[in-house]
Amino acid sequence: MDDNRDNRKLPIVYVRGFAGGTSGINKAVDDPFYGFNEGSTHVRVGADNEPLFRQFESPLLRLMQEEGYDLLVKGNQRAYLAARQANEVRPDTIWIHRFYDRSATTWGGKPQEYRLEDAAADLRDLIDELRVKTGAPAVILVAHSMGGMICRCLLQKILPDQGRQAADCVAKFFTYGTPHGGISFDLGGGLLEKARDTLGIQGADIFGPRRMYEYLTPQAELDRAPRPPSGWDARRMPQGPGALPVERIFCLVGTNPADYDVALGLSSAAVGPHSDGLVQIENAYVPGAQRAFVHRSHSGRYGMVNSEEGYQNLRRFLFGDTRIEASLVGYRLPDDDDIVWQAETRLSVRGLPVMMHERLAAHWCPIQLDGRRKGEDASVSLATTFLNSGLRAPTATDEPMRFILDLRLISLRERGGFLGLGDHLEQSADFSDTLVIDVGPPDAGPEIWATWNSEIDGAIRDHQVAGSPRSDEDPTAGRWIAHIPLPATTARLVGADARIRLVATPWT
């Protein structure tokens, strides 16, 4: 085997989402790739308002085309693996965890009732075999919806119950629209959740707190406390020796419920507008994990898995070499208890046709600014992105990697819970500007330049970096920090000390 291969190119295991009852399971198992092969087509507006078709092939094909992954189905992927010797299989391969096969009625024989813990145990067996047959130290898990909970059951229960360390088996974990905090509804006053969890119709009680606690908790702890303790939060993943660190987890959060048409739109209506149509925004991430918000629905023609936005976040998280976090720090909001302050952010990377991250009030996910925090205590994360110096165009290898961060600051006056309209200008921002950030290759330190668009003469595409890069304000090795002051016009809004903090670290 090639000892010079990219050590990030580990086996990728895809774990699909919830299929529902028997008919849904039977339909799911007919697909050899459980949906990881689904692409999409949509229209962009071109010159003279003419439609331009934008096609996304699928994450499966793109990983094969762009990252050189192979797909070794060979008629039956598990039979193929079983017939191979140790270290005989390429590590840069894609595998589908076909956990629903044993529950389908279309194969003949006696189908088994689906149980999430069994799917997680089967995933453990697949990972163990992949590690032996590929020689890879660990695998990458990529999961949609409930598939993420199967992975978490493996990480938090199945492996710990055997005295094994999750970090020894899994290197990175990416989730699309996973209900890490369960599924709850805007409608029904809690009755819908109670009926689901009591009756367990089509196994949907796996999205309620009682069942989630069972499959996310090691047996020894369940024996001591068989019910969820007060304040238990299903989203949180315990950290400690052997656990997969939360910074090795990425949660893609969808914010578009309108295009989720399951059950003729009844699902999105019940869950509410602050969701992807099935999973509410606040339930779709693990606290402390990497995350991005995209205006995509849970699944369907505008779903997250079959989207360019989802793939580009996945690709850079898996194979990027630089992680950059942007935060708003040092702000001081006016002392007015009737004013609510919010920030909106959008992030895009040069060369891509999509927004990588959007947190907008119109999408029910603005960033709330806490006016009680002052000065150095005032800090809020705006966005995190992963860059890959190897993805620059062959003709631009000497150019830095560029991305932009749009920032809007919005104030709303509320009195007694009602919006004050006397001085209100709908959807207007008190501040709006774009920070253009250029990053040199990681072996350069990295070198970073940052300029506000309002200070750029002409189009951003024509902007060239000039002068010395920003100085590193942190002497710590492997960590680069700089602060970029906000334009002077913001001093009356957020104080003269408000600035954007950029933190760059190597990523593998």
Side-chain angles (χ1 to χ4, degrees), residues 149-223:
M149 303 314 294
I150 293 174
C151 297
R152 285 188 56 190
C153 177
L154 167 78
L155 297 170
Q156 295 176 229
K157 180 179 178 66
I158 301 299
L159 292 173
D161 279 352
Q162 292 186 320
R164 299 176 60 183
Q165 297 189 341
D168 288 342
C169 300
V170 177
K172 292 179 181 177
F173 174 30
F174 186 100
T175 68
Y176 297 92
T178 286
H180 292 286
I183 293 178
S184 54
F185 306 100
D186 271 2
L187 301 180
L191 294 178
L192 293 177
E193 292 92 337
K194 186 175 181 180
R196 174 200 64 198
D197 298 346
T198 301
L199 301 175
I201 299 173
Q202 294 188 339
D205 58 330
I206 60 173
F207 303 118
R210 182 185 61 81
R211 276 289 288 130
M212 294 182 77
Y213 179 71
E214 289 177 355
Y215 63 73
L216 293 178
T217 306
Q219 190 59 48
E221 191 173 334
L222 275 178
D223 292 340

Side-chain angles (χ1 to χ4, degrees), residues 209-390:
R210 182 185 61 81
R211 276 289 288 130
M212 294 182 77
Y213 179 71
E214 289 177 355
Y215 63 73
L216 293 178
T217 306
Q219 190 59 48
E221 191 173 334
L222 275 178
D223 292 340
R224 293 193 301 268
R227 296 287 180 180
S230 176
W232 182 73
D233 185 352
R235 301 177 307 157
R236 298 193 176 276
M237 293 183 65
Q239 296 294 280
L244 181 66
V246 289
E247 58 265 24
R248 309 294 290 177
I249 301 170
F250 192 111
C251 302
L252 194 71
V253 181
T255 62
N256 176 14
D259 288 315
Y260 187 66
D261 57 4
V262 169
L264 302 177
L266 293 178
S267 169
S268 58
V271 173
H274 48 105
S275 71
D276 62 12
L278 182 63
V279 181
Q280 292 183 340
I281 290 171
E282 60 269 26
N283 287 334
Y285 61 87
V286 172
Q290 320 289 347
R291 51 180 158 151
F293 293 71
V294 295
H295 197 53
R296 286 282 175 168
S297 61
H298 189 77
S299 63
R301 62 185 300 194
Y302 294 112
M304 282 179 280
V305 179
N306 52 312
S307 73
E308 188 80 40
E309 294 92 329
Y311 172 70
Q312 294 298 345
N313 276 289
L314 170 70
R315 187 184 188 192
R316 283 159 172 76
F317 173 68
L318 297 189
F319 311 119
D321 49 34
T322 304
R323 175 189 182 272
I324 298 185
E325 181 180 16
S327 302
L328 176 64
V329 301
Y331 62 86
R332 181 181 294 273
L333 301 177
D335 291 323
D336 189 335
D337 293 339
D338 290 337
I339 299 294
V340 176
W341 287 87
Q342 298 172 342
E344 293 187 332
T345 57
R346 303 167 80 223
L347 186 148
S348 64
V349 176
R350 178 164 56 186
L352 298 183
V354 294
M355 280 287 169
M356 295 279 287
H357 169 82
E358 293 184 278
R359 294 195 65 175
L360 307 180
H363 300 169
W364 287 78
C365 57
I367 300 165
Q368 303 294 334
L369 301 182
D370 188 352
R372 295 167 297 181
R373 304 176 69 180
K374 304 293 183 182
E376 293 304 314
D377 291 334
S379 174
V380 62
S381 179
L382 299 176
T384 299
T385 193
F386 297 86
L387 302 175
N388 189 335
S389 58

